[in-house]
Amino acid sequence: MYAQDPISPLLDAAHAVHSDHIPPATLAFQRLRLLDHLACLAAGYDASGVDAALSLARRWSGAEEATVLGTDTRLAAGQAAFVNAVRARALDFCDVISPGWHPSSSDIPVALAMAEHCGASGRELLAALAIGQDVGQRINLAAQAHGFFYRGFDSNVLGLFSGAVIAARLLRLPRESFTSAVGLAFDSGIGTFQHYQDKVLAVRIGQAMVARHAIEAAQMAQAGLTGPRRILGGENGFFRLYAPGEPDLSALTADLGHRYLGREATCFKPYPHCSILLALTDALLARRHELPRPRLAGSTLRLHVSPTMRMVCGAPYAPAETAEIDAQFSARYIVANALLRGAATPAQFTARAAREPAVQALAQRVEIIEDPSLARFDACRLEIRPADAAPVVVAAAYGRGWPENPLDQAALERKFMLCCSLSASAAMRRAAPLVAARINDLAQAPCVAPLVNALAGSA
């Protein structure tokens, strides 16, 4: 196999680099991740599944190490991160890296909880985020060299690598313990794509499990427990179990220590639904004034979609117990929502909105046709054929938010203020400007307490 496991140079670099040597532009990008993440946490503060997660985390906590954001409640670091991750992931508004890794929804709960627990500075937190994301993205690129999905596993498994690196750095583990921390995290495994297809709350909980496992793996390594060493290249290592083909090992070390990956691949979402559907919402909202809305009742609607869109978001629209998740992952709902409402904010993705009879009826009339010629995952084409008028065709790809069509900082700041204004947390509604200022100054902060206190409304 390999003289040494391919993860070794990644962990050597992750352990050795000093926080002061991370480029300023890289730290600035990590601040944007933090701003967007806290926006998503604010918006998902009282979403379905949060109360259960908080109740369980309280039962499972035996220490007060880190804060449940938006409150003054303190739990064990892993449990605080668990709750914070559920809130951030709930509305599917969080950032994403192809093919479906939501890095910040697990990375940032790990980083904030461990920085608070360990007394780390703001720069150390941002540096850990940058280094952890770099490790995860390098593994992602190597694994995807000859395929897209991870053999049916949820690609958020990558968060076990990035999260364990973040936690290990903030715990200041010695080099030999780094491998055990990452190996123990990898050994826990995480999730499959089945929870997306079945539209269940496991979609929201999976991210939280990643965050908790990453912290607990680093703490176990600190306590002397050892984990697998042949993490990527072993006979039952990551590449053999998860990767869809032979990995490209050169992707692991290209410019390692000089270029920190993440910004070039991250999608910050303008809409609270699956990233595969961003282009569809964009195109329909942009052309809504041209579309034959008065004739929709007598129109045929056919949506031609990529194989990926069909697999993840092409199921019949039948909102059930978790109707909001049905809506977030339904191409049919996206069409009906954009045509009838002309907006895509959190208000259009509540359980009540997802069940609205007129929208549900139109969504169920959309015919999905898989088209293998649509190679990009978010490529699609909607054909609206009224009975008494010329057809209208709307093609979409490269949705706003993806790196090829990115949101700028001003758009992310508007998203943050909107999400805070809608939050069920009074503290986050009141403190939004102060929180934004704390994030902006984080690289100079001696600790994260001012930011955490601002989020709790106790600054």
Side-chain angles (χ1 to χ4, degrees):
M1 295 293 287
Y2 304 98
Q4 66 172 358
D5 193 79
I7 204 168
S8 293
L10 295 183
L11 299 186
D12 287 342
H15 178 262
V17 66
H18 194 281
S19 299
D20 289 343
H21 296 161
I22 305 297
T26 300
L27 297 179
F29 174 68
Q30 298 305 317
R31 290 199 301 272
L32 290 182
R33 286 181 72 194
L34 182 55
L35 184 75
D36 187 71
H37 169 81
L38 292 176
C40 300
L41 186 151
Y45 195 83
D46 63 343
S48 297
V50 168
D51 284 348
L54 180 56
S55 176
L56 289 168
R58 283 177 168 145
R59 284 173 53 191
W60 294 334
S61 279
E64 295 183 358
E65 298 172 332
T67 300
V68 176
L69 300 178
T71 74
D72 58 4
T73 299
R74 290 172 58 79
L75 304 175
Q79 302 302 344
F82 177 83
V83 177
N84 294 334
V86 172
R87 283 179 162 142
R89 182 74 176 91
L91 299 191
D92 207 63
F93 215 172
C94 47
D95 65 2
V96 62
I97 289 178
S98 175
W101 174 30
H102 295 266
S104 294
S105 289
S106 51
D107 285 359
I108 292 177
V110 169
L112 285 171
M114 294 307 290
E116 185 181 3
H117 175 46
C118 301
S121 69
R123 178 176 288 273
E124 288 171 327
L125 180 151
L126 295 171
L129 280 170
I131 294 161
Q133 186 176 31
D134 182 63
V135 169
Q137 176 60 353
R138 288 174 183 277
I139 295 170
N140 187 32
L141 291 176
Q144 283 197 80
H146 299 289
F148 189 58
F149 285 112
Y150 286 94
R151 298 187 190 275
F153 290 98
D154 187 339
S155 49
N156 286 302
V157 67
L158 296 162
L160 293 171
F161 296 116
S162 58
V165 167
I166 291 165
R169 272 193 64 92
L170 294 173
L171 275 174
R172 301 176 178 86
L173 295 185
R175 172 62 184 88
E176 59 270 21
S177 298
F178 252 66
T179 298
S180 283
V182 176
L184 287 163
F186 161 65
D187 212 37
S188 68
I190 193 71
T192 71
F193 254 79
Q194 198 60 46
H195 52 221
Y196 294 106
Q197 293 186 311
D198 290 348
K199 312 296 187 288
V200 291
L201 284 173
V203 172
R204 297 176 175 182
I205 302 302
Q207 212 73 42
M209 297 290 283
V210 170
R212 191 177 75 197
H213 284 322
I215 287 175
E216 291 176 348
Q219 290 174 328
M220 285 189 284
Q222 185 183 44
L225 296 175
T226 54
R229 295 183 297 275
R230 294 180 295 154
I231 297 165
L232 298 182
E235 186 177 357
N236 294 289
F238 178 80
F239 288 143
R240 181 67 63 87
L241 293 178
Y242 291 88
E246 283 298 311
D248 175 9
L249 298 185
S250 69
L252 294 174
T253 55
D255 293 327
L256 180 63
H258 300 283
R259 185 166 62 102
Y260 290 87
L261 303 184
R263 182 167 201 150
E264 79 296 337
T266 298
C267 169
F268 291 117
K269 295 184 183 181
Y271 311 117
H273 59 62
C274 180
S275 58
I276 295 170
L277 302 171
L278 295 176
L280 180 58
T281 288
D282 255 354
L284 291 174
L285 294 183
R287 294 187 57 187
R288 186 169 180 259
H289 64 286
E290 306 172 30
L291 304 179
R293 280 175 289 153
R295 298 186 175 90
L296 287 176
S299 297
T300 299
L301 293 89
R302 293 192 178 96
L303 182 63
H304 299 258
V305 302
S306 70
T308 300
M309 190 180 294
R310 197 280 310 160
M311 189 271 284
V312 180
C313 303
Y317 187 65
E321 183 179 359
T322 50
E324 57 271 53
I325 297 177
D326 288 293
Q328 290 165 349
F329 292 89
S330 172
R332 291 176 167 90
Y333 182 82
I334 294 303
V335 170
N337 176 69
L339 291 177
L340 294 180
R341 296 182 177 134
T345 73
Q348 286 78 48
F349 289 86
T350 63
R352 181 176 180 179
R355 294 190 180 104
E356 185 178 317
V359 177
Q360 187 172 336
L362 182 59
Q364 290 170 344
R365 287 176 42 215
V366 177
E367 179 184 359
I368 298 285
I369 301 167
E370 182 174 329
D371 184 348
S373 72
L374 296 169
R376 184 176 161 85
F377 55 86
D378 65 352
C380 57
R381 184 177 69 257
L382 178 65
E383 298 174 355
I384 305 175
R385 297 182 178 274
D388 57 351
V392 177
V393 178
V394 179
Y398 297 98
R400 199 158 51 91
W402 285 103
E404 301 90 344
N405 188 11
L407 297 185
D408 60 19
Q409 182 168 339
L412 289 174
E413 290 169 351
R414 290 193 297 271
K415 175 180 173 179
F416 175 76
M417 297 306 293
L418 170 66
C419 288
C420 287
S421 73
L422 298 173
S423 182
S425 167
M428 298 193 80
R429 293 197 303 272
R430 290 194 304 268
L434 178 59
V435 170
R438 292 279 191 263
I439 293 170
N440 192 56
D441 296 338
L442 192 58
Q444 290 76 46
C447 66
V448 299
L451 173 60
V452 171
N453 290 341
L455 288 164
S458 58

